[in-house]
Amino acid sequence: MNLKILKIPFRAAAAATLTLMCAVAAAHGISDEDKQRMLEGGYLQYVGLGATHMLTGYDHLLFLFGVVFFLTTFKDVAKFVTVFTVGHCITLIFATYLKITWNYYLVDAIIAASVIYKGFDNNGGFQKHFAMASPNLLGAVFIFGLLHGFGLSTRLQQLPLGDDPVAMLGRILSFNVGVELGQIAALAVMVALLAAWRKRPSFTRFSYAANLALIYAGVYLLFMQLHGYQHDVNPDGFRFPTEEHKHIHEDMDIKNSTDPTRNKL
């Protein structure tokens, strides 16, 4: 396979990447409006939020894009997606029900690392840099599915789930159904576009570049989440004026992690 990278004007590529990453930075949060709707609504509210959360969860979508990138048959797509789905259902349901949680910035940082891993693997990184075969892909997808589910769980646990064990389980399962519906919708678009693109000569020329972009996106997400973690554990360590800093932290609840007495340089 010819993995020659098509030359793309740097400024255009940088602008496109920045636009995408700004959307990524704003995604994946649970707003106060969503929390209020959960209090006032029923199970369908959780289904809708689960679907929306998956469709705006760019780290999950980027990982899935990497998983299906080179899969050419429906059987293979179904096999890998099923393994991923089983993995994230396990941790989403059980971790939420048992109230097992961790700092969600660190969980999302690990999810970002899974995006880097998939792009690296797709570009033959293990063969090129370590002279070894790729780790078992099904096993890797299952393990990362568990991690992605834990990430979903940390977000779901920000919502009011109630104290009734049966009702709480119903809300968790409803959210999970929404996640699956969102995942199916996103995958349908991804697989259709990749199938059409794979028939064109540009797929061979761009496949390496596309997965390299996947790695860069994962690196960006990783640093964004680590930066958010620093805000979370050391809110007084940042001396930027609030108004200048918070526009890139729409998902970081910056108003709760800023000392107003230090808003001057």
Side-chain angles (χ1 to χ4, degrees):
M1 181 183 291
N2 181 9
L3 298 179
K4 181 180 178 181
I5 302 175
L6 199 64
K7 293 183 179 179
I8 303 173
F10 176 77
R11 290 184 179 179
T17 302
L18 181 60
T19 300
L20 173 63
M21 291 301 97
C22 286
V24 169
H28 222 39
I30 303 293
S31 67
D32 290 337
E33 290 77 12
D34 282 335
K35 292 180 181 181
Q36 186 60 37
R37 283 195 298 111
M38 295 303 102
L39 288 171
E40 298 171 353
Y43 291 142
L44 284 178
Q45 294 282 2
Y46 285 84
V47 173
L49 184 63
T52 302
H53 192 67
M54 174 55 74
L55 290 173
T56 58
Y58 298 102
D59 45 5
H60 300 293
L61 297 182
L62 287 170
F63 179 76
L64 284 172
F65 178 76
V67 169
V68 302
F69 192 86
F70 286 119
L71 301 182
T72 58
T73 67
F74 175 79
K75 179 180 179 180
D76 284 339
V77 171
K79 178 172 63 175
F80 281 94
V81 171
T82 298
V83 167
F84 179 75
T85 299
V86 169
H88 76 65
C89 283
I90 289 173
T91 46
L92 170 57
I93 294 170
F94 286 100
T96 306
Y97 191 76
L98 298 175
K99 299 181 180 179
I100 301 170
T101 191
W102 196 34
N103 186 286
Y104 61 78
Y105 288 118
L106 292 182
V107 177
D108 284 357
I110 296 173
I111 292 174
S114 75
V115 176
I116 299 171
Y117 176 94
K118 200 69 203 76
F120 180 79
D121 187 29
N122 283 356
N123 276 346
F126 288 99
Q127 292 80 7
K128 294 177 184 177
H129 301 289
F130 300 109
M132 59 176 285
S134 298
N136 182 275
L137 184 54
L138 270 178
V141 169
F142 177 72
I143 291 171
F144 285 128
L146 292 173
L147 293 170
H148 281 242
F150 192 43
L152 291 166
S153 173
T154 61
R155 297 295 180 166
L156 181 55
Q157 290 184 61
Q158 297 176 53
L159 293 176
L161 296 172
D163 298 321
D164 181 357
V166 176
M168 183 170 69
L169 181 60
R171 294 183 181 104
I172 295 169
L173 293 176
S174 298
F175 183 84
N176 192 63
V177 168
V179 166
E180 301 314 321
L181 292 175
Q183 179 174 283
I184 291 171
L187 278 169
V189 174
M190 287 183 199
V191 172
L193 290 176
L194 284 170
W197 185 28
R198 202 172 282 116
K199 299 175 183 178
R200 298 177 178 273
S202 62
F203 181 79
T204 300
R205 298 196 300 270
F206 270 113
S207 60
Y208 185 88
N211 283 283
L212 192 61
L214 201 63
I215 295 172
Y216 290 149
V219 170
Y220 181 91
L221 285 169
L222 177 63
F223 280 105
M224 283 293 295
Q225 298 302 338
L226 292 177
H227 186 56
Y229 175 70
Q230 287 300 314
H231 268 291
D232 202 34
V233 299
N234 186 25
D236 294 335
F238 296 87
R239 300 183 63 89
F240 298 100
T242 302
E243 293 304 317
E244 293 182 16
H245 201 52
K246 72 178 181 181
H247 70 284
I248 62 171
H249 293 284
E250 295 178 1
D251 187 35
M252 294 184 181
D253 198 15
I254 195 65
K255 63 184 179 181
N256 292 331
S257 61
T258 304
D259 183 353
T261 66
R262 300 177 63 139
N263 281 346
K264 295 182 180 180
L265 293 176

